[in-house]
Amino acid sequence: MALSKNFGKTIVLLILIIILAFGGLLWFDFLGLIHVKKMFSPVYKLFGMQPQTSVTSTSTKPLFADLDQDRLTSSANHLRFSNRNLKKEKKIL
C-alpha cells in the first residue's frame, strides 16, 4: 500500500520537474539566452502562436553619442531657464 502511494508521488513529481524544465527553456528562449525555437515550433503551432523571431539592425551608419556634450547642453538649458525665472521674480519684487 505504501509503495504504490510513494510511486504515485514520484510520478507526479517527475512530471512536475519535466513541465518546469520545459517552461524554463521557453522562458530562457523568450529572453534570448538560449535558442530552442526550432525545437518548440510544434508547441507554438499547437497553441496557434508564431515563434518569436529576432530582427538584426542593418543600419550602415553607426550610432555615436557624445554624452558629455549632451550633459553640457542640458546644464546650459537649465541655467538659462533658472536665470529667466530669477529675472521674473526680481521684476515682481
Side-chain angles (χ1 to χ4, degrees):
M1 185 77 170
L3 181 63
S4 65
K5 188 175 180 182
N6 287 338
F7 184 72
K9 285 182 184 179
T10 304
I11 296 297
V12 169
L13 289 175
L14 285 174
I15 291 171
L16 182 64
I17 289 170
I18 291 169
I19 290 171
L20 288 174
F22 280 118
L25 286 173
L26 282 173
W27 182 248
F28 286 144
D29 182 46
F30 177 75
L31 293 176
L33 299 174
I34 59 174
H35 303 287
V36 290
K37 288 177 182 54
K38 291 180 183 178
M39 186 174 87
F40 282 117
S41 63
V43 177
Y44 284 122
K45 290 178 184 176
L46 180 68
F47 290 111
M49 299 168 48
Q50 291 293 327
Q52 179 186 3
T53 57
S54 59
V55 178
T56 305
S57 175
T58 57
S59 174
T60 57
K61 181 180 170 185
L63 298 175
F64 293 106
D66 189 1
L67 295 178
D68 291 331
Q69 184 61 40
D70 291 343
R71 288 184 187 117
L72 286 173
T73 304
S74 177
S75 296
N77 289 338
H78 179 69
L79 287 172
R80 276 191 231 117
F81 181 73
S82 298
N83 192 14
R84 197 177 320 144
N85 284 342
L86 286 173
K87 287 180 181 179
K88 286 180 183 178
E89 287 181 14
K90 188 176 180 182
K91 286 181 182 179
I92 292 173
L93 295 175

